[in-house]
């Protein structure tokens, strides 16, 4: 008898990007114990949970210690108190009506975007923008929906849609037929956005080709420009062709607390093996009921607090704080002549390395000469080569300090 590895795991090219970066940074710190590193790599927040969230969290923990209020297993789909606030606050103001049964509370958008592909046939062709959040690609590779890795950093059978300065970071429609399209806007990693008209092109395309859009809106709360859609459902017809993922991680500092949700409209139908229409929403419900026991009660109460008047004000202050950091980064990098993108509707700043230095080399330069941790663009896909991503999630003081150090560099 032998236990055999899932052969598709053998296709995976590298460590998970942020694990690899952490490994390199730890090694550097070990070799240079006095280096005062400023971390602007992974998009992890530095501000603590806001007061109203902490209060709700504590109250809910106390309830768990009270025999009359204690809660055991909750609904796998999330508690109605949170689902109703999501619909009322995140969608109603945009003119989007949703039913409770269309919102699924979870432990975050990384899990949801990684897990959702399970619902689709292995033969389906996925398309991703390139560069891209690695979870979309890696989870499909693990599921056997790709072929082998190629020498130039792609995977066979995955359609890559380059997004670079040359096309203003707006992906072109695929030339080949694709079934599932991952879009993330505001974009991770480039920090760029699509206008409503540009997103409509994708919704229309999905209708025309019977494709499905998996729309990651984890960074929606950072949008400050008019005409940038906060939800794909602001686009007519999107409810028939798009699933949307949201996260409290960056919106409300829940990176360690874990909570998010996804919206699976009842209008979406896909095909079964006999070519018949099958509703997508019950499939996700079935998947979640089998493999997930819901986000914890205190965490969902904590998330609910961001929809109170006080909570809204408090998280807005934090979002503005990070957006101010983003502006500091943008302005300073531009001052030294770098080509800088993103950072207006997003906590991510994406810039071209000077003199076409490759991403990992420039990552090392920043680490070694400025003690600043970044994310190499190439880690997000071949079209990210020659770019670097910085996050605005550190403190204002450290962000300013990092910029001073980068300005001192000679390149
Ligand atoms: C990132 O840095 O891209 C994100 O923090 C990763 C994530 O949200 O999982």
């Amino acid at each position: 008898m032998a236990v055999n590895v899932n052969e598709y795991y053998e296709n995976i090219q590298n460590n998970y990007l942020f694990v690899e970066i952490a490994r390199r940074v730890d090694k550097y710190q070990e070799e240079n114990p006095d280096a005062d590193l400023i971390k602007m790599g992974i998009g992890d927040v530095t501000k603590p949970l806001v007061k109203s969230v902490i209060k709700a969290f504590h109250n809910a923990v106390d309830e768990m210690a009270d025999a009359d209020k204690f809660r055991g297993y909750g609904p796998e789909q999330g508690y109605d108190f949170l689902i109703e606030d999501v619909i009322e606050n995140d969608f109603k103001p945009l003119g989007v009506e949703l039913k409770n049964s269309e919102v699924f509370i979870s432990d975050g958008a990384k899990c949801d975007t990684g897990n959702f592909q399970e619902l689709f046939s292995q033969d389906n062709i996925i398309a991703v923008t390139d560069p891209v959040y690695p979870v979309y690609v890696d989870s499909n590779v693990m599921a056997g929906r790709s072929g082998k890795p190629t020498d130039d950093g792609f995977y066979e059978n995955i359609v890559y849609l380059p997004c670079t300065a040359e096309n203003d970071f707006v992906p072109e429609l695929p030339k080949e037929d694709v079934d599932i399209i991952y879009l993330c806007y505001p974009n991770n990693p480039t920090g760029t956005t699509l206008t409503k008209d540009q997103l409509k092109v994708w919704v229309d395309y999905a209708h025309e080709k019977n494709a499905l859009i998996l729309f990651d809106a984890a960074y929606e709360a950072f949008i400050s420009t008019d005409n940038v859609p906060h939800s794909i459902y602001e686009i007519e017809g999107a409810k028939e062709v798009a699933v949307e993922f949201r996260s409290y991680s960056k919106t409300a500092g829940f990176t360690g607390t874990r909570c998010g949700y996804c919206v699976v409209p009842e209008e979406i139908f896909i095909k079964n093996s006999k070519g018949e229409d099958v509703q997508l929403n019950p499939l996700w419900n079935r998947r979640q009921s089998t493999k997930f026991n819901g986000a914890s009660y205190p965490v969902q109460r904590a998330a609910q607090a961001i929809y109170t008047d006080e909570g809204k004000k408090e998280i807005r202050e934090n979002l503005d704080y990070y957006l101010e950091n983003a502006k500091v980064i943008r302005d300073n990098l531009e001052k030294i002549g770098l080509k800088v993108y993103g950072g207006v509707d997003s906590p991510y700043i994406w810039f071209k390395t000077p003199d076409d230095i490759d991403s990992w080399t420039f990552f090392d330069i920043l680490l070694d000469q400025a003690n600043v941790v970044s994310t190499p663009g190439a880690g997000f896909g071949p079209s990210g080569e020659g770019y670097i991503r910085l996050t605005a999630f550190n403190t204002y003081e450290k962000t300013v300090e990092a910029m001073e150090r980068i300005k001192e560099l000679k390149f």
Side-chain angles (χ1 to χ4, degrees):
M1 203 186 116
V3 180
N4 300 320
V5 74
N6 169 352
E7 63 189 290
Y8 302 124
Y9 273 61
E10 296 181 70
N11 287 341
I12 293 281
Q13 265 168 316
N14 303 307
N15 279 342
Y16 182 59
L17 175 62
F18 295 106
V19 171
E20 177 59 22
I21 291 171
R23 190 189 67 77
R24 292 185 188 216
V25 170
D26 288 349
K27 181 166 176 285
Y28 183 83
Q29 187 80 79
E30 226 171 80
E31 290 164 2
N32 302 274
D34 296 333
D36 172 22
L37 298 183
I38 300 182
K39 298 196 173 164
M40 302 172 87
I42 190 166
D44 197 1
V45 293
T46 47
K47 286 217 157 268
L49 296 175
V50 298
K51 284 204 179 76
S52 47
V53 164
I54 283 295
K55 193 162 162 246
F57 214 167
H58 276 297
N59 287 345
V61 169
D62 287 342
E63 284 182 54
M64 297 298 266
D66 179 337
D68 294 334
K69 294 183 180 157
F70 168 79
R71 311 224 184 182
Y73 291 127
E76 291 86 357
Q77 303 76 4
Y79 286 102
D80 277 336
F81 63 75
L82 180 54
I83 293 175
E84 278 157 20
D85 278 1
V86 163
I87 294 173
E88 203 57 36
N89 292 280
D90 288 347
F91 294 96
K92 269 236 174 93
L94 304 175
V96 177
E97 298 289 335
L98 292 174
K99 295 186 199 149
N100 285 21
S101 54
E102 294 175 306
V103 176
F104 295 83
I105 307 295
S106 72
D107 55 352
K110 180 180 183 181
C111 316
D112 284 347
T113 55
N115 292 332
F116 212 88
Q117 49 73 30
E118 272 185 50
L119 304 186
F120 309 116
S121 150
Q122 260 187 339
D123 301 333
N124 277 156
I125 300 290
I126 70 150
V128 292
T129 52
D130 172 28
V132 72
Y133 180 43
V135 171
Y136 315 152
V137 172
D138 291 3
S139 58
N140 277 285
V141 173
M142 289 169 175
R145 213 165 280 109
S146 76
K148 300 272 176 221
T150 65
D151 290 340
D152 42 4
F154 297 99
Y155 285 96
E156 293 166 354
N157 299 345
I158 289 182
V159 172
Y160 292 80
L161 309 167
C163 293
T164 58
E166 284 67 42
N167 62 5
D168 226 358
F169 301 95
V170 178
E172 270 180 37
L173 293 173
K175 294 186 183 53
E176 24 321 63
D177 281 343
V178 302
D179 303 297
I180 296 156
I181 304 148
Y182 287 85
L183 295 178
C184 172
Y185 288 98
N187 186 255
N188 180 14
T190 65
T192 57
T193 54
L194 294 184
T195 63
K196 286 186 184 163
D197 286 347
Q198 287 167 332
L199 189 54
K200 183 172 183 303
V201 169
W202 287 94
V203 171
D204 292 349
Y205 172 87
H207 271 281
E208 189 193 319
K209 302 282 184 188
N210 292 322
L212 181 72
I213 298 172
L214 299 181
F215 189 75
D216 186 349
Y219 300 92
E220 160 284 325
F222 293 87
I223 295 172
S224 52
T225 305
D226 288 346
N227 203 31
V228 173
H230 288 251
S231 164
I232 194 165
Y233 305 122
E234 289 179 68
I235 312 298
E236 205 187 321
K239 272 195 179 174
E240 287 106 53
V241 295
V243 171
E244 180 164 308
F245 303 92
R246 294 276 189 112
S247 164
Y248 296 113
S249 287
K250 322 294 154 108
T251 308
F254 273 55
T255 49
T257 307
R258 308 307 307 151
C259 198
Y261 64 87
C262 79
V263 178
V264 190
E266 291 182 353
E267 285 91 330
I268 304 176
F269 287 84
I270 60 174
K271 298 283 181 199
N272 68 13
S273 55
K274 298 187 203 116
E276 298 156 344
D277 282 340
V278 174
Q279 204 177 17
L280 186 64
N281 177 295
L283 293 181
W284 182 243
N285 195 14
R286 185 71 177 80
R287 190 268 171 213
Q288 290 297 79
S289 312
T290 306
K291 297 195 180 181
F292 184 57
N293 257 333
S296 82
Y297 173 70
V299 165
Q300 291 189 61
R301 279 290 183 207
Q304 186 192 22
I306 73 163
Y307 296 115
T308 59
D309 288 346
E310 195 54 24
K312 280 182 191 165
K313 208 170 119 260
E314 288 170 336
I315 65 161
R316 190 65 255 163
E317 274 166 25
N318 285 359
L319 291 164
D320 289 344
Y321 176 92
Y322 294 133
L323 282 171
E324 180 58 29
N325 287 351
K327 187 170 179 328
V328 167
I329 299 170
R330 274 187 70 97
D331 290 352
N332 278 284
L333 296 181
E334 273 171 359
K335 258 189 224 149
I336 54 172
L338 293 171
K339 282 246 172 288
V340 186
Y341 310 91
V344 175
D345 297 300
S346 159
Y348 294 131
I349 291 87
W350 186 247
F351 68 90
K352 193 100 195 63
T353 59
D355 304 326
D356 288 329
I357 302 175
D358 73 81
S359 297
W360 279 105
T361 302
F362 202 69
F363 166 87
D364 285 334
I365 292 174
L366 288 176
L367 182 60
D368 195 39
Q369 296 177 28
N371 287 171
V372 170
V373 179
S374 62
T375 308
F380 295 101
S383 295
E385 183 54 276
Y387 291 89
I388 289 283
R389 192 193 77 174
L390 291 179
T391 88
F393 286 125
N394 215 312
T395 63
Y396 177 78
E397 293 72 20
K398 288 209 170 159
T399 303
V400 170
E401 163 75 19
M403 292 305 108
E404 292 308 315
R405 293 186 196 174
I406 291 175
K407 283 198 286 191
E408 299 283 300
L409 292 178
K410 305 271 171 288
F411 34 72

